[in-house]
Amino acid sequence: INKQKDKLLSVIAHDMRSTIGSIGNLVEVLIPDIETMSTEDILQYLQLIKDGSEKVYAMFDDLLLWAKNQFQNVPLELTVFNLKDEAESTAGQTAVQAGNKNIRIVVDIPANTVVYADVNMVRTILRNLISNAVKFSNAGTEVTVRSVTVAGNVGILVSDRGIGMKPEDVEKILKGTVGFTTYGTKGEKGTGLGLNLCNAFIQKQGSTLQIESIYGEGSTFSFTLPTPEHAFSHSAKNGDV
């Protein structure tokens, strides 16, 4: 518990503080000179402030979920939903981050793909995996989010053509090492909570996070979710319904 508490305080003190400070600095530059600045310059500053605000919000959301999962055990709220719709909506939230690096996000999921899972947890998983893929991608490349259906389960794969990972780094992620993070291709730094949270949420839904990575070439993160038919059939066999 003390280790979790220390990490929590570390994130608040460093990562969130520095991001909020950057937003404040931009505002301090913008306000005195706004009357003499061109519309284009003002829009650029506002876009940077917007990007920073969204980053803080996402970070704060992850922080709260991570803390709640550590100390209160977040309950599952299972429901049936369309996976393609959720993946496209989540990918859209990363559009600015991807655009800054000229990275294209492709969602290759059939329109009728339906799963039975906790939609809020899946949103968090997808947001972190897509954002992470963009973070470690080289400029001008592509991030793909695709699905495969096998034996009543839907496999979701998020792939990038970025810097990849060394085997020891993959091991740290799969072990759920708290606070492990590395720098992205443009020097982006994370909190180390995102993949930890993904790992926990994926396990809660009866799956495991799989990572295939070649150092210098890219990575693929994947997990599975049941279809409604498979989930209800399994429950019936076990006397749950």
Side-chain angles (χ1 to χ4, degrees):
I1 291 175
N2 281 333
K3 286 182 179 179
Q4 307 295 358
K5 180 197 67 176
D6 290 344
K7 177 57 188 174
L8 200 65
L9 293 175
S10 172
V11 170
I12 294 171
H14 184 269
D15 297 277
M16 292 186 71
R17 187 170 182 269
S18 63
T19 305
I20 292 172
S22 296
I23 295 172
N25 290 336
L26 288 169
V27 172
E28 285 183 2
V29 172
L30 182 62
I31 290 176
D33 300 327
I34 193 167
E35 293 184 359
T36 59
M37 294 173 70
S38 67
T39 302
E40 183 180 351
D41 287 340
I42 292 172
L43 287 174
Q44 286 181 345
Y45 273 94
L46 290 176
Q47 186 62 60
L48 290 171
I49 292 169
K50 180 177 179 290
D51 293 348
S53 300
E54 289 176 349
K55 181 179 179 182
V56 170
Y57 182 86
M59 196 185 301
F60 190 62
D61 195 40
D62 281 350
L63 187 59
L64 289 176
L65 285 170
W66 178 81
K68 188 175 181 181
N69 186 60
Q70 294 296 321
F71 300 113
Q72 298 179 18
N73 198 14
V74 180
L76 274 174
E77 296 181 5
L78 300 174
T79 186
V80 176
F81 61 91
N82 186 288
L83 181 64
K84 181 180 178 67
D85 290 346
E86 293 300 332
E88 288 184 336
S89 175
T90 304
Q93 297 172 22
T94 321
V96 173
Q97 179 191 0
N100 289 336
K101 298 174 77 171
N102 192 29
I103 292 169
R104 183 168 171 245
I105 302 177
V106 177
V107 176
D108 183 17
I109 298 175
N112 61 345
T113 304
V114 178
V115 295
Y116 182 63
D118 186 308
V119 65
N120 290 316
M121 287 190 183
V122 172
R123 286 170 183 161
T124 299
I125 294 165
L126 288 174
R127 175 167 54 79
N128 276 289
L129 292 184
I130 294 172
S131 178
N132 210 55
V134 172
K135 173 182 173 182
F136 292 105
S137 287
N138 295 310
T141 59
E142 188 174 273
V143 169
T144 60
V145 184
R146 61 189 179 91
S147 69
V148 293
T149 302
V150 180
N153 288 307
V154 177
I156 299 99
L157 303 92
V158 179
S159 304
D160 66 71
R161 292 180 234 167
I163 58 179
M165 291 183 289
K166 298 176 181 178
E168 56 266 32
D169 291 340
V170 173
E171 186 178 357
K172 288 177 183 177
I173 291 171
L174 294 178
K175 282 184 175 180
T177 303
V178 176
F180 171 72
T181 184
T182 56
Y183 288 93
T185 51
K186 287 188 70 175
E188 308 100 316
K189 183 181 182 298
T191 63
L193 297 181
L195 288 178
N196 190 285
L197 195 60
C198 287
N199 220 344
F201 281 0
I202 289 170
Q203 290 175 11
K204 278 180 178 291
Q205 298 181 91
S207 183
T208 55
L209 178 63
Q210 304 289 329
I211 304 174
E212 295 181 11
S213 187
I214 300 176
Y215 189 60
E217 295 185 20
S219 305
T220 295
F221 289 73
S222 62
F223 62 101
T224 62
L225 297 172
T227 62
E229 296 80 7
H230 181 71
F232 297 153
S233 173
H234 181 75
S235 296
K237 287 179 182 178
N238 286 278
D240 296 332
V241 294

